[in-house]
Amino acid sequence: LTPPVSPGAVKVTPGHSPQDLALARAHGLPLLSVIGDDGTLCPPGGGWLQGVPRFEARARVVAALAQ
């Protein structure tokens, strides 16, 4: 059996797990906050998503990736 081909993207969320934090540190990735205290996306989350509620932002990202 041949394994499926990876699209080449990996989501790393350093604040969610020790494994992701270790991966981010190992690769020198910046630790960013993309969701503000009010639950909307901040500028580091992408200017096109700034001010969008997080669950709506998720749907927009999925739609953009599908295109």
Side-chain angles (χ1 to χ4, degrees):
L1 292 175
T2 304
V5 176
S6 170
V10 175
K11 180 192 78 63
V12 176
T13 310
H16 286 175
S17 76
Q19 294 82 7
D20 278 8
L21 179 58
L23 182 66
R25 287 183 174 159
H27 291 277
L29 300 176
L31 304 180
L32 304 172
S33 266
V34 298
I35 301 175
D37 291 337
D38 63 353
T40 63
L41 277 282
C42 300
W48 65 289
L49 293 171
Q50 186 173 351
V52 176
R54 65 187 177 126
F55 292 114
E56 183 180 333
R58 179 182 294 164
R60 290 186 188 190
V61 169
V62 169
L65 289 170
Q67 288 182 342

